[in-house]
Amino acid sequence: MTLNPLDNINQLVVEAVADAIVAAGIVSREELPAITLEVPKDKSHGDLATNAAMQLTRIAKKNPRQIAEAILEHLDTGKASIEKAEIAGPGFINFTLNKSYLYPVIGLVQQEGENYGRVSIGQGQKVQMEFVSANPTGSLHLGHARGAAVGDALCNVLDFAGYKVTREYYINDAGNQVVNLCKSIEARYLQELGQDVEMPEDGYHGEDIKGFAKELVAEKGDSLLSLDSEERTVFFRQYGLEKELDKIKRDLNRFRVHFDEWFSETSLYEKGLVEKVLEELKAKGEAYEKDGATWLRTTDYGDDKDRVLVKNDGTYTYLTPDIAYHRNKYERGYDRMINIWGADHHGYIPRMKAAMEALGNDPDKLTVLIAQMVSLFQDGEKVKMSKRTGKAVTMEDLMDEVGVDAIRYFFTMRSMDSHLDFDMDLAVSTSNENPVYYVQYAHARICSVFRQAEEQGIELLPLKDINLGLLTTEHEYDILRKIGEFPHEVTLAAENFAPHRLIRYVYELASLFHSYYREERVITEDAERTQARFALLGAVRTVISNVLRLMGVSAPERM
């Protein structure tokens, strides 16, 4: 992977400062602390700054400004394209660079294309991401949609950062919810056949259940009545699960989210893994009997109280199969496991980590991210019900109303641990206030300029024949620098599990482009400058497209 010009110039400046410190006799190279650079917030303070002089005061036993002066006396400015170096404040050193160091960014983007921005920090580590994992008893809702958008974007970012990512959906197909689903379909089926039966107390009353019953009557008539009770239960269970899972998969496919693994909770029982993990915890002395129930000693691992594994009626709590599932994840050899859970699962994290540690697994390999709730607003008012069904708004409703691009962009735009207010009117508006429109329009606008060039018969030259030294405006330097920052932003987004960083980044890049487009003409009377500007715009287009692809958002060529 070619060294990014921004990394290259940073490295050269660090080396120049280090050489100057040693040449000035301030400290030996062996004593030299790590030199850090930062980009000043105020552009008038230059391109880069270091606090190296302040770091050295204790070792050199001099005040930082004296140290800074000694550094500047011995600084080889030619080595790092340094045009000007000045002391500021208590001893900062500000560097203004010859902007020519930015030009190779365009060549790097052209060379790497859709792979521009890829980094290798993951080093092929195996990461398992489990997200969405809704009970297969009804439609996906807004919380699932946010988990799906953020989870999939994070998977894309981790892949782009050099990790080997497996996406997994955990199917909660064992337990009371599925029993109630089965009973609900059976009751609706019997009602369709004219029988006077009531829905179960905790039954599911959705329109989809009525639809399943109508389909069954159309396909099978009353033939299911001839099955004995146990056979009929097995049939309705399997039928309901398949129907609900098909719907979930259909919605996720439309939402551009695809899973590598669909892991069934039932398989844990069929393979005896739940009983096995329970016996192991008992054998290790991590589980104990009290009041007719079986408890896990999670307080030994920092939890606020011990947790029940088997209730006094002999049934498992939700925690027990979940422990078996997570134990299975560890056994599959992942270097890291990441879960995205809903806002109501925050308290569940310490007990799961405690259980993993009790089983001898490294709890730090398991990371749980919480996706907070989403509130919908339309016409300035909070929306709770779907106009179409009069029921709670589902992910399907939202896709119908505002489209996949807007949902995925908006749902990933904020850190997932913060509450999100989603303005449906803004999401469908074609104005600069709509951030997804603003970014997509930047891409489409660049495509339009390229079409204009073709219509005017302008033949775009290969990069080797273009004089990039004609990119001399402050706008152009800002855009080049922003493009060069992309790989670093990918690194930070991956390290911090924060895909929203890239949403902010691409918005800033689009903003720089729109500002540039308002101020400067791309097609000018100066043919050479025109070629340089098209090379710049081509790089912007590639980077915007790459970010949007990572976010699962389209990059339209026309709008």
Side-chain angles (χ1 to χ4, degrees):
M1 198 171 290
T2 310
L3 186 64
N4 187 288
L6 268 64
D7 294 332
N8 188 42
I9 197 68
N10 286 1
Q11 190 174 310
L12 290 173
V13 172
V14 165
E15 288 172 4
V17 172
D19 290 346
I21 291 169
V22 174
I26 299 168
V27 294
S28 67
R29 197 166 291 277
E30 291 71 31
E31 296 175 294
L32 197 64
I35 295 166
T36 58
L37 298 174
E38 59 183 36
V39 177
K41 289 185 172 64
D42 186 338
K43 285 168 68 173
S44 68
H45 294 165
D47 299 296
L48 294 170
T50 183
N51 66 346
M54 288 180 281
Q55 284 182 286
L56 292 165
T57 51
R58 190 176 301 168
I59 303 172
K61 296 183 171 54
K62 292 180 180 178
N63 77 57
R65 284 192 73 91
Q66 285 179 301
I67 297 170
E69 286 166 4
I71 292 171
L72 292 193
E73 282 176 26
H74 293 82
L75 186 69
D76 180 0
T77 56
K79 181 179 178 182
S81 299
I82 298 171
E83 286 189 343
K84 186 169 65 173
E86 297 176 308
I87 302 169
F92 286 99
I93 303 175
N94 293 339
F95 303 99
T96 300
L97 307 175
N98 183 317
K99 301 302 187 290
S100 61
Y101 81 89
L102 292 167
Y103 298 143
V105 168
I106 293 178
L108 187 59
V109 176
Q110 279 198 10
Q111 176 187 320
E112 297 189 352
E114 65 180 23
N115 287 313
Y116 176 68
R118 275 194 181 275
V119 293
S120 56
I121 61 165
Q123 299 180 324
Q125 289 182 66
K126 291 170 63 181
V127 174
Q128 189 240 35
M129 278 277 300
E130 183 228 321
F131 57 111
V132 184
S133 297
N135 292 332
T137 53
S139 298
L140 297 177
H141 59 57
L142 302 182
H144 301 134
R146 188 178 194 187
V150 177
D152 191 54
L154 181 53
C155 285
N156 292 338
V157 170
L158 290 172
D159 173 82
F160 214 59
Y163 294 89
K164 188 176 180 183
V165 182
T166 299
R167 294 161 164 85
E168 183 157 303
Y169 188 112
Y170 180 57
I171 309 167
N172 297 100
D173 56 3
N176 287 334
Q177 308 99 317
V178 176
V179 171
N180 290 332
L181 173 68
C182 167
K183 289 178 178 178
S184 300
I185 296 173
E186 182 174 22
R188 290 301 190 199
Y189 171 73
L190 295 174
Q191 288 173 0
E192 278 296 310
L193 291 173
Q195 295 191 22
D196 184 18
V197 295
E198 289 187 7
M199 287 288 284
E201 186 178 346
D202 295 318
Y204 295 101
H205 295 261
E207 292 299 314
D208 53 342
I209 305 297
K210 292 180 182 177
F212 298 162
K214 290 180 187 296
E215 288 177 27
L216 275 174
V217 170
E219 291 172 18
K220 302 199 175 280
D222 63 359
S223 64
L224 299 179
L225 298 179
S226 63
L227 300 177
D228 65 37
S229 176
E230 190 174 325
E231 287 177 321
R232 199 190 300 174
T233 297
V234 169
F235 175 85
F236 282 120
R237 181 185 183 281
Q238 191 61 32
Y239 181 86
L241 281 173
E242 285 180 6
K243 283 289 187 181
E244 292 289 6
L245 268 177
D246 282 348
K247 186 175 187 307
I248 287 171
K249 289 178 179 180
R250 190 168 65 247
D251 284 349
L252 288 170
N253 184 59
R254 182 180 172 192
F255 203 55
R256 305 171 193 151
V257 175
H258 307 281
F259 287 91
D260 303 301
E261 302 287 345
W262 293 78
F263 191 103
S264 162
E265 180 186 355
T266 299
S267 71
L268 294 170
Y269 294 95
E270 292 172 345
K271 295 174 182 176
L273 299 182
V274 181
E275 190 61 35
K276 181 182 174 184
V277 82
L278 195 57
E279 291 305 315
E280 187 175 347
L281 288 167
K282 288 178 181 176
K284 286 175 173 285
E286 301 288 355
Y288 62 93
E289 305 293 326
K290 177 185 161 188
D291 300 330
T294 304
W295 298 71
L296 180 64
R297 300 183 192 278
T298 52
T299 49
D300 289 355
Y301 301 94
D303 198 7
D304 59 339
K305 62 181 180 180
D306 289 347
R307 305 291 171 173
V308 176
L309 296 173
V310 184
K311 292 181 276 190
N312 53 22
D313 64 1
T315 60
Y316 295 126
T317 62
Y318 288 120
L319 180 61
T320 311
D322 279 355
I323 292 172
Y325 172 49
H326 283 80
R327 174 57 180 268
N328 177 267
K329 290 186 184 189
Y330 277 87
E331 290 175 342
R332 283 186 266 162
Y334 294 109
D335 298 299
R336 186 149 208 170
M337 291 142 286
I338 304 169
N339 296 342
I340 296 181
W341 287 350
D344 55 343
H345 285 71
H346 201 278
Y348 208 69
I349 300 171
R351 68 194 75 162
M352 184 54 66
K353 282 182 167 280
M356 292 304 101
E357 193 171 355
L359 288 164
N361 296 307
D362 180 359
D364 291 336
K365 283 189 172 184
L366 174 64
T367 298
V368 180
L369 306 173
I370 296 294
Q372 289 293 342
M373 299 298 291
V374 177
S375 295
L376 293 184
F377 288 85
Q378 194 169 38
D379 299 327
E381 294 185 2
K382 196 168 183 177
V383 179
K384 291 185 179 178
M385 296 298 172
S386 163
K387 290 178 183 174
R388 181 170 58 87
T389 64
K391 307 286 185 181
V393 179
T394 65
M395 180 170 155
E396 183 183 24
D397 291 328
L398 201 56
M399 287 191 287
D400 290 342
E401 191 80 18
V402 301
V404 173
D405 282 345
I407 304 171
R408 290 202 56 151
Y409 188 100
F410 274 75
F411 279 19
T412 313
M413 190 166 60
R414 302 269 180 268
S415 172
M416 73 179 90
D417 61 3
S418 61
H419 186 90
L420 179 69
D421 289 339
F422 182 66
D423 186 336
M424 294 170 66
D425 298 315
L426 180 62
V428 297
S429 72
T430 54
S431 72
N432 289 343
E433 282 70 44
N434 178 358
V436 65
Y437 176 83
Y438 187 70
V439 172
Q440 287 181 316
Y441 185 50
H443 185 272
R445 184 175 245 178
I446 293 171
C447 292
S448 172
V449 177
F450 273 86
R451 286 194 298 272
Q452 287 175 37
E454 189 177 351
E455 289 162 6
Q456 293 179 31
I458 298 172
E459 185 178 344
L460 300 179
L461 300 174
L463 192 61
K464 64 181 178 61
D465 297 331
I466 296 174
N467 179 10
L468 296 178
L470 295 171
L471 299 173
T472 56
T473 71
E474 204 60 38
H475 279 117
E476 289 162 340
Y477 294 147
D478 288 344
I479 290 172
L480 285 167
R481 193 177 292 108
K482 181 60 71 174
I483 291 172
E485 290 170 2
F486 181 43
H488 183 59
E489 285 295 331
V490 171
T491 297
L492 292 174
E495 287 177 343
N496 296 291
F497 309 127
H500 66 276
R501 288 191 66 100
L502 295 184
I503 295 275
R504 184 174 64 217
Y505 167 83
V506 77
Y507 184 86
E508 289 170 356
L509 177 59
S511 182
L512 287 172
F513 163 71
H514 285 305
S515 177
Y516 175 59
Y517 190 81
R518 284 193 300 270
E519 296 291 328
E520 307 285 351
R521 290 177 57 202
V522 179
I523 301 174
T524 71
E525 294 176 1
D526 183 337
E528 283 192 87
R529 191 178 298 276
T530 297
Q531 292 287 341
R533 289 183 170 178
F534 268 106
L536 177 65
L537 261 61
V540 175
R541 177 171 63 177
T542 295
V543 176
I544 290 175
S545 174
N546 286 0
V547 179
L548 291 179
R549 187 177 69 253
L550 293 178
M551 299 300 104
V553 176
S554 69
E557 295 188 4
R558 298 174 188 269
M559 288 179 75

